[in-house]
Amino acid sequence: MVQRVRNMLTKKQIELLDFIQKRMARDGVPPSFDEMKIALDLRSKSGIHRLVTALEERGFIRRLPHRARALEILRLPDALAKSAPGFTPQVIDGDRKAPAAPPRGAMPVNAAATELPVMGRIAAGVPIEAISEVSHHIAVPGTMLKGSDSHYALEVKGDSMIEAGINDGDVVVIREQDAAQNGDIVVALVEGHEATLKYYRRKGAMIALEAANPAYETRVLPEGKVQVQGRLVGLIRSY
């Protein structure tokens, strides 16, 4: 009976879990509390805090300590699992320590992995020189990759995307593409020699590269000076 009660979720809890799952599947990172509040039409973030705490207590999600916007979905209720076949957590541990045993009730993770080239470092802050050389390779779960498209990985340097759950030292998985939609997190080549990881927003003939940290200003450039190199599809965190 206790286990059954733990598995029962309210309508709002299911709505929030569904929203988090869909955003992580799309962007590779969880939504902010403000985005959750808007999606669920709540008046304050305190309501989101209560819902997140309830989902954590019931074993559906886990908050990663000392990390901004770091949530991991451990399992889905039957109603959502049916609409998300092949679901696996999208934030995974890196290889700096032995992996811990999976939490009780966690859904099985697909062990199949693909070796991706790590093309140096990408700035989540002030843009750095363009990336062009492979520094090493990293094993990435196949569930992070999108079909037969080409992918590569980059190590994040800086904190400009911290409110998107992307921290200094994380490894981001990028799908190669030269176009993006508003709100995508992309690798952008600026003026042919600077590379940066930012939100992409088109405003007419101008491109805004927006940080997820209020300490950084949005850069607005003519579209001819910004070249999309790929879109974020996954995140690997090392501890």
Side-chain angles (χ1 to χ4, degrees), residues 1 87 98 143 206 210 216-217 229:
M1 178 62 72
F87 162 77
T143 50
M206 306 296 285
E210 181 181 308
Y216 293 85
E217 294 184 358
Q229 301 279 287

Side-chain angles (χ1 to χ4, degrees), residues 14-192:
I14 292 175
E15 287 179 4
L16 179 59
L17 192 59
D18 186 39
F19 177 65
I20 294 171
Q21 156 64 14
K22 288 178 178 177
R23 284 296 299 272
M24 291 181 72
R26 189 191 77 181
D27 299 339
V29 294
S32 69
F33 275 39
D34 280 323
E35 291 169 327
M36 296 179 201
K37 176 174 70 72
I38 294 171
L40 270 68
D41 194 27
L42 297 180
R43 293 185 178 181
S44 69
K45 287 192 288 187
S46 62
I48 294 297
H49 280 282
R50 287 193 293 271
L51 291 173
V52 168
T53 298
L55 289 172
E56 186 175 31
E57 289 175 347
R58 287 162 174 78
F60 288 94
I61 66 173
R62 177 173 62 181
R63 279 184 279 197
L64 304 177
H66 313 301
R67 300 283 183 174
R69 278 179 59 171
L71 295 176
E72 181 179 13
I73 297 180
L74 301 177
R75 62 192 180 101
L76 294 174
D78 291 342
L80 295 183
K82 292 178 181 178
S83 63
F87 162 77
T88 56
Q90 288 296 299
V91 178
I92 65 172
D93 291 346
D95 57 2
R96 296 183 187 175
K97 67 174 185 179
R104 179 178 298 176
M107 295 187 71
V109 176
N110 185 348
T114 300
E115 291 280 332
L116 289 186
V118 179
M119 306 291 289
R121 309 181 82 182
I122 182 70
V126 179
I128 57 177
E129 291 184 1
I131 295 137
S132 60
E133 295 183 1
V134 177
S135 62
H136 60 285
H137 285 74
I138 189 168
V140 174
T143 50
M144 272 192 182
L145 308 182
K146 307 297 181 181
S148 59
D149 295 336
S150 296
H151 297 75
Y152 59 92
L154 296 165
E155 183 180 352
V156 174
K157 179 180 180 181
D159 62 356
S160 75
M161 298 300 290
I162 193 167
E163 290 190 5
I166 303 172
N167 304 307
D168 184 59
D170 286 349
V171 172
V172 288
V173 178
I174 305 296
R175 180 174 67 186
E176 288 189 34
Q177 58 185 69
D178 58 9
Q181 298 181 353
N182 283 344
D184 285 347
I185 297 176
V186 303
V187 173
L189 187 64
V190 179
E191 298 183 335

Side-chain angles (χ1 to χ4, degrees), residues 9 12 72 85 122 128 178 196 212 225-226:
L9 298 179
K12 281 295 185 183
E72 181 179 13
I122 182 70
I128 57 177
D178 58 9
T196 188
K225 293 189 176 182
V226 178

